[in-house]
């Protein structure tokens, strides 16, 4: 197991990992823009139970650096559960 995590089952991002929340390539969501945050320790990552989930995809609690709005205009949110496919390790 990697100490930095890959974000998938068996190698999750550790608490405190800096991430960029990205938009989906096929639509303008689920967030109104890309932004930075960090993996929060509120709850452990969970296997995503959704028909559109990718195999082994986890959902994480992410604390945002700045409050954010979702693609429907709801918010602002300071923290939310984010599907693993929308998270990338932030560049240092």
């Amino acid at each position: 197991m990697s100490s930095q995590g890959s974000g998938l089952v068996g190698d999750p991002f550790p608490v405190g990992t800096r991430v960029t929340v990205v938009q989906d390539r096929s639509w303008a969501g689920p967030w109104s823009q890309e932004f930075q945050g960090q993996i929060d320790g509120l709850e452990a990552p969970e296997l995503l139970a959704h028909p559109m989930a990718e195999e082994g995809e986890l959902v994480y609690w992410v604390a945002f650096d700045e409050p954010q709005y979702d693609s429907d205009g709801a918010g602002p949110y300071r923290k939310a559960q984010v599907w693993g496919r929308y998270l990338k390790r932030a560049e240092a």
Side-chain angles (χ1 to χ4, degrees):
M1 186 179 327
S2 165
S3 63
Q4 295 186 358
S6 67
L8 298 173
V9 167
D11 194 22
F13 292 124
V15 170
T17 300
R18 298 286 304 152
V19 293
T20 300
V21 179
V22 300
Q23 289 186 306
D24 193 289
R25 293 180 181 166
S26 64
W27 64 288
W31 297 94
S32 63
Q33 63 180 351
E34 295 189 357
F35 56 90
Q36 303 264 311
Q38 72 178 30
I39 302 298
D40 190 81
L42 182 64
E43 293 182 12
E46 299 175 359
L47 189 60
L48 182 56
H50 189 279
M52 295 180 69
E54 296 173 357
E55 185 174 343
E57 186 171 8
L58 297 172
V59 61
Y60 293 86
W61 278 100
V62 178
F64 307 150
D65 290 355
E66 301 288 333
Q68 299 295 325
Y69 291 87
D70 67 19
S71 59
D72 292 329
Y77 299 99
R78 295 185 179 279
K79 182 186 297 187
Q81 284 190 303
V82 180
W83 292 18
R85 74 179 75 182
Y86 302 119
L87 298 174
K88 292 187 179 180
R89 184 173 301 283
E91 296 181 21

